[in-house]
Amino acid sequence: MEFHERTSGSAIPPSEEEQDLRRGPWTVEEDVVLVNYIAVHGEGRWNSLARCAGLRRTGKSCRLRWLNYLRPDVRRGNITPEEQLLILELHSRWGNRWSKIAQHLPGRTDNEIKNYWRTRVQKHAKQLKCDVNSKQFKDVMRYLWIPRLVERIRAASGNSTVAPATSDRPEDPAAELARVKLSSETSSAAGSSSSDSLGMHHFSPPPVSDGFPAATIQGGEDNSGDVIVPADLTTGCWSESLPSSSSGGYADLGLPDLDQGVWWDDLWSAENIWLQQQF
DNA sequence: AACAACCACAACCGCTTCTGA
DNA sequence: ATCAGAAGCGGTTGTGGTTGT
């Protein structure tokens, strides 16, 4: 911030050190320096780390580069269906609390999740001409997107080719969540139009092992939107609350693969038809 | 082939929160 | 209790690759 601001209009001339600061994409050489330095000295104290390592970067920049890219346990690339499911779930509960959400996706960074949400989820909302926080869009997620994900996870687990890095950890929240969804033990939400007549209510979140208290409505302390959550979006009964996808349900809509994006174009009409039948 | 439009992701920015003196 | 520096967070922008015309 500092360099940029001071060089643009401020009477305070930038110090020599600030003038020397690099910005923009990191080079391989910088990455190597940072990784080697952290390997020896550990992370933290980012400003002094940047100085001592001889990097002409701010401490913030070093920290971000390490956390989002260079850390050995960072996972990049395709977001698995389990992870997508978990992101939808946790976002419905917490809103844009990306770092909090990221804590439950091992190896994923808040930045990556945030980007995923913006580029995929918000894009689809835009295509549907509705807000991501609107009931319409949440219903799309609830009745179409999530069941689709559940089915994909189910299919994958049937083939015992489960998504990498999310399935082999007993404590893994994504796998846990998927298990919860698939088991579909509770049944109160099916066609829950009576209890959901107000369009919002409290819910009992599935176990997410951070001891987070049973949330009422997400948004919580950050009041970043007071998102209204469809009744059973988060109750673990998705697959019960809608027509069976394998017996005349959404499978019959001929939806293309979730990741391909195109199916959303056709989704809105199908969604409208179905919702009109429901509400 | 060239250009524009779009997309995904990396990085930055400003603000808030935490921590230690 | 207060203050300064460090760390963390969420929103935004920049960049490079891809796709369409």
Side-chain angles (χ1 to χ4, degrees), chain A residues 80-89 116 140-159 161-163 174-185 206 232-246 250 255 257-259 263:
Chain A
T80 66
E82 287 93 338
E83 289 172 319
Q84 292 180 42
L85 193 57
L86 193 58
I87 290 170
L88 296 179
E89 156 73 15
Y116 167 76
V140 171
M141 286 201 297
R142 172 188 178 189
Y143 294 115
L144 293 171
W145 195 348
I146 287 170
R148 185 81 182 173
L149 284 170
V150 169
E151 180 156 350
R152 287 185 66 182
I153 295 167
R154 179 186 287 141
S157 61
N159 293 338
T161 50
V162 232
E176 169 67 13
L177 179 64
R179 214 162 36 77
V180 170
K181 303 304 177 203
L182 293 171
S183 66
S184 300
E185 288 162 339
D232 44 0
L233 176 61
T234 56
T235 53
C237 335
W238 297 324
S239 51
E240 287 185 352
S241 64
L242 36 78
S244 164
S245 57
S246 60
Y250 286 109
L255 300 177
D257 189 274
L258 179 67
D259 292 334
W263 68 285

Side-chain angles (χ1 to χ4, degrees), chain A residues 87-102 113 117 133 138 203 217-227 229:
Chain A
I87 290 170
L88 296 179
E89 156 73 15
L90 295 179
H91 187 275
S92 77
R93 193 188 309 174
W94 292 326
N96 297 355
R97 299 292 302 274
W98 307 117
S99 64
K100 196 173 179 67
I101 293 170
I113 294 167
W117 186 264
N133 292 330
K138 287 178 180 300
F203 62 85
I217 283 293
Q218 75 290 2
E221 65 272 48
D222 67 338
N223 64 14
S224 63
D226 291 347
V227 183
V229 183

Side-chain angles (χ1 to χ4, degrees), chain A residues 94-278:
Chain A
W94 292 326
N96 297 355
R97 299 292 302 274
W98 307 117
S99 64
K100 196 173 179 67
I101 293 170
Q103 288 171 6
H104 296 283
L105 287 112
R108 299 293 186 184
T109 68
D110 57 347
N111 211 31
E112 188 169 21
I113 294 167
K114 180 170 56 181
N115 281 333
Y116 167 76
W117 186 264
R118 288 188 58 80
T119 58
R120 313 286 170 79
V121 180
Q122 288 194 347
K123 181 184 78 177
H124 294 322
K126 194 177 175 183
Q127 285 174 346
L128 297 176
K129 296 182 170 61
C130 59
D131 189 85
V132 281
N133 292 330
S134 68
K135 184 173 187 304
Q136 281 176 330
F137 187 70
K138 287 178 180 300
D139 283 337
V140 171
M141 286 201 297
R142 172 188 178 189
Y143 294 115
L144 293 171
W145 195 348
I146 287 170
R148 185 81 182 173
L149 284 170
V150 169
E151 180 156 350
R152 287 185 66 182
I153 295 167
R154 179 186 287 141
S157 61
N159 293 338
S160 62
T161 50
V162 232
T166 60
S167 59
D168 53 355
R169 304 163 183 238
E171 77 284 9
D172 178 57
E176 169 67 13
L177 179 64
R179 214 162 36 77
V180 170
K181 303 304 177 203
L182 293 171
S183 66
S184 300
E185 288 162 339
T186 56
S187 59
S188 62
S192 61
S193 55
S194 58
S195 64
D196 194 21
S197 58
L198 296 178
M200 66 172 103
H201 64 256
H202 296 197
F203 62 85
S204 302
V208 180
S209 58
D210 66 345
F212 197 82
T216 52
I217 283 293
Q218 75 290 2
E221 65 272 48
D222 67 338
N223 64 14
S224 63
D226 291 347
V227 183
I228 297 168
V229 183
D232 44 0
L233 176 61
T234 56
T235 53
C237 335
W238 297 324
S239 51
E240 287 185 352
S241 64
L242 36 78
S244 164
S245 57
S246 60
S247 59
Y250 286 109
D252 293 346
L253 296 175
L255 300 177
D257 189 274
L258 179 67
D259 292 334
Q260 293 176 355
V262 290
W263 68 285
W264 285 88
D265 296 335
D266 300 328
L267 204 58
W268 189 228
S269 54
E271 164 74 353
N272 269 338
I273 293 167
W274 196 81
L275 287 178
Q276 283 167 10
Q277 293 171 348
Q278 292 296 306

Side-chain angles (χ1 to χ4, degrees), chain A residues 29-74:
Chain A
E29 289 77 18
E30 288 177 310
D31 283 346
V32 168
V33 169
L34 182 56
V35 167
N36 286 342
Y37 189 90
I38 289 175
V40 174
H41 299 95
E43 54 184 296
R45 294 250 148 202
W46 294 104
N47 283 329
S48 64
L49 183 152
R51 266 194 314 272
C52 297
L55 287 163
R56 289 149 55 193
R57 295 276 183 175
T58 65
K60 288 176 86 167
S61 182
C62 293
R63 174 183 164 271
L64 213 59
R65 183 64 178 172
W66 173 253
L67 292 178
N68 287 343
Y69 197 88
L70 297 174
R71 236 179 357 154
D73 59 333
V74 71

